[in-house]
Amino acid sequence: MADPPAMTDHAPFQPRVSSLLCRLVGFAALGSLVATATAAAQPADLVIQNAHVLTMDPARPQASAIAVRDHRIVYVGDQAGSAAHIGPRTRVIAASSDTTVLPGLHDGHAHLVGLGLSLRALDLRGIDSAAAIAQAVGHAAQAQPEAGAWLLGRGWDQNRFSPPEFPDAAALRTLDAASAGHPVWLRRIDGHAGWANHAAMQLAGLSKKTPEVDGGRILRDPSGEPTGVLIDNAMDLIERVLPKPTGPELEAAIISASGYVAARGLTAVHDMGLSVEAVGAYRRLAEQGRLPIRIYGYADDPIPAKLQQFPQSPAYRAELERLSQRIGPPEHSSHFTLRGIKLYLDGALGSRGAALEQPYTDDPQNSGLLLTTPDHVEMMSRWALIHGYQIATHAIGDRAVHLALDAYQRAGVRAERNARFRIEHAQVISEDVLTHRRFQELGVIASMQPQHAVSDAPWADKRLGARSRYAYAWRSLLDSGARLCGGSDFPVEDADPRLALHSALWKTTPVTAPKAPADALSIGEAVRLFTADAAYATFAEDKLGRIAVGLLADLTVLEGKLSLDDHLPPPADLPRRKVLLTVVDGAVVYDGLGQSQASRPRRRGRHILRH
């Protein structure tokens, strides 16, 4: 068969193409009009009117009304336009003009399972002495009828003690006397240290002869006997003998914690460091439709701690190969996504475990701890890039941040790869990281928690000295072109996004806490960290994080007006403003207006009274 003649003159073909394109554009426009008319003709499930809507959508930053139907936002505009979406069964909320509607607030770094479990444990936050902690344990021992049952608690902070030192041998004797034979394990507020009594140490086989642990520290008295205080990796000595929560207990913890945070305005949580058992609990709840909020999960480091120290060994490589066979591709359901892996490079500032380039100003013999090797971070990053997972590395000190960025770079992480790897906390950074725009260059997200700046304010300067100028530096990172996302790290901090937002603004807001080294943000920047930027950090910016037609209907409704006007001071009362509604997928999961989630108006245009 002869070849067809070559086409040398395209002119005769162009009109036909143009005509076809015109028709297609015409059909598309007609289809859009039909879709719009159909949407207008179908009543919404929920309409909010007369509100101050901060959309986080550059195309329309503010509005006064929205409508929701079938899980999605179907209208954003003014009150007059929203009337077309009201039907006989539409719930209509006629808000007062100072009500603020935000895209559903995310907590970009938290521990929801840990929060749920901690709600059943001793709450030791705010206690100002080791003796008072022992007294609280004594009350718990009296209320525990089961002999030998573990007594668990969390929240103590030696920085509140006078002097601000870890419990010593004398404090251990007081704890032993109060615990009445029960084994006791009390985690520090940041989760990077714990305090055990003798009964717990005996069960763990912890004694004077126990060697030190890589990436951890066993505090001892002058004779070498452990005082019960274990830092970072040394905590595993106790935690490996703790009774493991059952599947039903984990599910109950997730449900109770989800309700707790939904009542405070959260619609999504990035849950960090999930065990295999916790992942299983989340899967079951998602399959049963019992997860009220969205969970973006980060599995705990799957490589055993001892192997992490030898990433070039044949045993490590064999474990990595097994991991490729054992872990499937990232998974996603409507309310549970598992796409991330959490690594831990250093400890925390509060327990002087954060890895610093230079020694702590208030502890000149100590530069912190590396809990794992940078080579392990590099190897896991290479694995994640191949298998489609996102790495989130805990790095608090400036040395740890620098090492994590270097490990990512060696693994092949670049901005153009759009892998969206993260560094969790990034509480202390170096001038070099800022001037060389390392986060922007690699496309790495700085996942930061503004509440830490306020909580650490009384002692941060003592720890860091002149380095304080580069601590909690979200403003400096934003100015360098880095992408951020905001969180709280609950239950280390309070699980309340109002407090997190307030903390991001606090340098220009009257507060009772002493001034800490921190960079203030505007209202718009702060809200973005917990909405659009947090959604971007989970690859969900096309579905969540903004209020725009077609996006999923996740909303947080607060009393009081938040203004985007940078000339106005930020509100001083934000933590006290009520959460009026929390909406996930168009369903009200928390109703602060007094109407139950299941109820629906029966008369057309029924309005909820202005609050």
Side-chain angles (χ1 to χ4, degrees):
M1 180 180 294
D3 291 336
M7 184 177 291
T8 57
D9 185 359
H10 295 276
F13 184 64
Q14 288 175 349
R16 279 188 277 175
V17 173
S18 300
S19 175
L20 178 59
L21 288 174
C22 288
R23 285 190 209 172
L24 290 175
V25 170
F27 285 139
L30 179 60
S32 177
L33 289 172
V34 170
T36 302
T38 302
Q42 296 178 5
D45 302 317
L46 173 68
V47 169
I48 302 175
Q49 298 178 329
N50 197 38
H52 185 63
V53 183
L54 299 186
T55 68
M56 295 296 112
D57 182 8
R60 183 169 196 155
Q62 299 186 49
S64 60
I66 60 174
V68 171
R69 187 183 67 250
D70 294 336
H71 314 300
R72 293 188 179 272
I73 298 165
V74 295
Y75 174 80
V76 181
D78 57 21
Q79 183 165 332
S82 69
H85 295 269
I86 298 173
R89 298 182 63 82
T90 302
R91 180 178 180 183
V92 182
I93 297 176
S96 65
S97 58
D98 65 350
T99 298
T100 297
V101 182
L102 301 173
L105 293 173
H106 293 222
D107 194 307
H109 180 112
H111 306 277
L112 191 76
V113 175
L115 173 64
L117 294 173
S118 72
L119 293 175
R120 301 185 298 169
L122 276 171
D123 184 357
L124 305 175
R125 291 175 297 175
I127 295 181
D128 59 6
S129 70
I133 291 173
Q135 186 178 28
V137 168
H139 293 316
Q142 293 173 8
Q144 175 54 262
E146 182 183 348
W150 281 83
L151 302 179
L152 305 176
R154 180 164 181 159
W156 62 272
D157 182 356
Q158 85 283 356
N159 293 301
R160 292 181 172 273
F161 301 172
S162 183
E165 297 172 355
F166 283 116
D168 57 13
L172 177 60
R173 290 191 292 271
T174 303
L175 181 64
D176 286 337
S179 56
H182 291 277
V184 174
W185 179 236
L186 311 173
R187 299 192 84 190
R188 191 182 180 277
I189 190 167
D190 60 7
H192 284 266
W195 187 22
N197 68 349
H198 267 116
M201 287 191 281
Q202 288 171 359
L203 289 173
L206 176 58
S207 69
K208 185 176 182 178
K209 298 180 180 179
T210 302
E212 290 298 322
V213 178
D214 288 334
R217 189 177 301 133
I218 302 170
L219 299 196
R220 305 174 188 265
D221 67 16
S223 71
E225 292 288 347
T227 63
V229 176
L230 307 174
I231 296 175
D232 287 314
N233 285 355
M235 297 167 64
D236 291 341
L237 296 169
I238 297 293
E239 296 195 340
R240 68 190 180 192
V241 300
L242 289 177
K244 302 298 183 185
T246 65
E249 288 173 337
L250 288 171
E251 291 173 21
I254 290 168
I255 292 296
S256 63
S258 295
Y260 184 93
V261 301
R264 287 152 179 79
L266 286 177
T267 63
V269 170
H270 305 183
D271 201 351
M272 294 287 163
L274 297 176
S275 67
V276 172
E277 295 78 13
V279 169
Y282 271 128
R283 284 176 179 149
R284 290 190 296 273
L285 291 172
E287 289 168 0
Q288 298 163 11
R290 296 172 58 203
L291 270 180
I293 63 174
R294 299 186 195 278
I295 303 297
Y296 192 87
Y298 290 78
D300 207 353
D301 192 330
I303 303 297
K306 289 184 178 180
L307 276 182
Q308 293 174 23
Q309 306 300 321
F310 306 100
Q312 305 304 326
S313 67
Y316 182 99
R317 294 180 181 276
E319 184 66 25
L320 209 58
E321 180 61 32
R322 283 192 291 271
L323 181 64
S324 298
Q325 299 170 1
R326 189 173 75 244
I327 295 184
E331 60 186 85
H332 174 73
S333 65
S334 61
H335 282 189
F336 178 59
T337 296
L338 182 67
R339 186 176 181 171
I341 295 176
K342 170 79 180 297
L343 307 180
Y344 300 82
L345 192 50
D346 68 344
L349 276 177
S351 50
R352 297 187 184 86
L356 301 179
E357 297 282 3
Q358 301 298 325
Y360 283 86
T361 302
D362 60 353
D363 188 1
Q365 305 305 312
N366 178 21
S367 297
L369 295 167
L370 288 180
L371 308 192
T372 191
T373 63
D375 286 347
H376 170 59
V377 175
E378 178 186 346
M379 294 292 283
M380 283 302 302
S381 297
R382 292 180 183 275
W383 181 93
L385 287 172
I386 293 171
H387 293 274
Y389 278 84
Q390 179 189 35
I391 294 293
T393 301
H394 168 114
I396 287 181
D398 53 359
R399 183 185 177 209
V401 172
H402 182 81
L403 291 173
L405 291 170
D406 284 352
Y408 287 168
Q409 185 168 13
R410 291 195 305 271
V413 175
R414 301 289 186 275
E416 57 269 21
R417 295 191 72 162
N418 199 33
R420 306 188 192 183
F421 280 23
R422 301 166 45 144
I423 288 184
E424 305 303 312
H425 310 305
Q427 283 179 230
V428 187
I429 57 176
S430 65
E431 184 177 12
D432 180 74
V433 165
L434 287 173
T435 56
H436 289 88
R437 303 161 70 91
R438 295 290 310 283
F439 281 86
Q440 183 189 36
E441 174 194 29
L442 301 179
V444 172
I445 296 166
S447 170
M448 305 183 77
Q449 299 75 46
Q451 283 156 280
H452 287 337
V454 178
S455 296
D456 299 354
W459 48 262
D461 281 329
K462 298 174 185 176
R463 291 276 195 282
L464 299 172
R467 289 166 294 194
S468 292
R469 64 179 295 197
Y470 299 117
Y472 317 97
W474 38 81
R475 156 62 57 210
S476 300
L477 278 166
L478 280 176
D479 290 346
S480 77
R483 278 191 176 269
L484 276 64
C485 75
S488 71
D489 201 12
F490 71 69
V492 174
E493 303 286 356
D494 287 330
D496 193 327
R498 295 167 296 183
L499 287 170
L501 287 168
H502 178 80
S503 299
L505 307 166
W506 75 280
K507 272 188 80 174
T508 53
T509 301
V511 293
T512 57
K515 180 171 287 190
D519 294 344
L521 299 181
S522 69
I523 288 282
E525 290 168 332
V527 171
R528 186 174 179 84
L529 290 191
F530 294 87
T531 55
D533 288 342
Y536 175 88
T538 65
F539 298 87
E541 69 272 18
D542 60 336
K543 302 179 183 71
L544 299 168
R546 294 175 291 126
I547 296 176
V549 172
L551 271 61
L552 292 170
D554 287 13
L555 307 169
T556 302
V557 183
L558 301 175
E559 82 172 338
K561 184 176 180 179
L562 290 179
S563 174
L564 295 179
D565 186 347
D566 292 342
H567 298 291
L568 297 176
D573 64 341
L574 182 55
R576 297 189 298 276
R577 293 187 180 184
K578 293 180 181 178
V579 176
L580 303 177
L581 286 178
T582 305
V583 179
V584 178
D585 255 348
V588 177
V589 297
Y590 173 74
D591 194 336
L593 294 172
Q595 181 172 336
S596 80
Q597 174 182 341
S599 64
R600 294 278 190 181
R602 297 185 181 276
R603 299 189 302 276
R604 179 178 179 85
R606 176 181 173 189
H607 286 58
I608 307 304
L609 293 177
R610 297 174 187 266
H611 53 276

